[in-house]
Amino acid sequence: MSTSSTTPIEDALKVKIREALKPSSLIVHNDSHMHAHHKAMQGSTSRETHFRVEITSEAFQLKMQPARHRMVYALLKEEMERVGGIHALQLRTRTPEEEERQLAREKAEKATTIAEIEKQ
């Protein structure tokens, strides 16, 4: 019985981000299956080419989005350069404070929507 992972790139991505950025939240979406039919993916044997990654970390404090993204790209340089590696990487990078503000906005919007529905 083999113990090797069926998602080695995703696994490496998670390990590298966790070790370097110590995120309070890390969500990884492997969207490769939605892009397998694209012309650029023809001939690729990799099933790990397209990712959406949401990272909340104190490491992003006082850094603008481009600097945050460069931090992540640097961590994943090997996975992005290898043949059959990461072809597309969509990032959402936030600090814990930014995440709290976003969650508060979403909660307020939901409450407003519920109140509007109840008025009807």
Side-chain angles (χ1 to χ4, degrees), residues 4-119:
S4 64
S5 172
T6 59
T7 57
I9 294 175
E10 181 177 344
D11 296 346
L13 180 148
K14 289 177 179 176
V15 167
K16 288 182 176 186
I17 291 172
R18 284 187 182 125
E19 287 178 357
L21 302 177
K22 309 284 189 259
S24 56
S25 174
L26 174 61
I27 302 170
V28 176
H29 304 273
N30 185 340
D31 294 334
S32 303
H33 65 283
M34 295 189 294
H35 301 276
H37 66 283
H38 292 181
K39 188 172 186 169
M41 296 294 95
Q42 289 178 354
S44 176
T45 58
S46 177
R47 295 178 194 260
E48 295 185 280
T49 56
H50 291 70
F51 292 92
R52 281 181 296 127
V53 183
E54 301 174 35
I55 309 165
T56 302
S57 174
E58 290 284 348
F60 297 139
Q61 287 292 5
L62 305 175
K63 291 182 174 52
M64 301 297 288
Q65 288 295 331
R68 296 172 183 187
H69 289 204
R70 283 191 297 270
M71 290 169 68
V72 178
Y73 295 146
L75 288 173
L76 304 176
K77 185 177 193 259
E78 181 182 323
E79 289 75 17
M80 294 182 80
E81 289 180 346
R82 81 166 48 148
V83 173
I86 297 173
H87 173 77
L89 181 62
Q90 180 183 354
L91 298 174
R92 183 173 189 178
T93 55
R94 300 182 290 199
T95 65
E97 294 78 16
E98 290 167 341
E99 183 177 56
E100 286 176 27
R101 286 194 300 269
Q102 179 65 34
L103 292 173
R105 274 194 300 274
E106 290 170 3
K107 185 176 179 180
E109 288 170 6
K110 185 176 181 179
T112 300
T113 302
I114 291 170
E116 290 172 356
I117 290 171
E118 289 174 347
K119 285 181 186 177

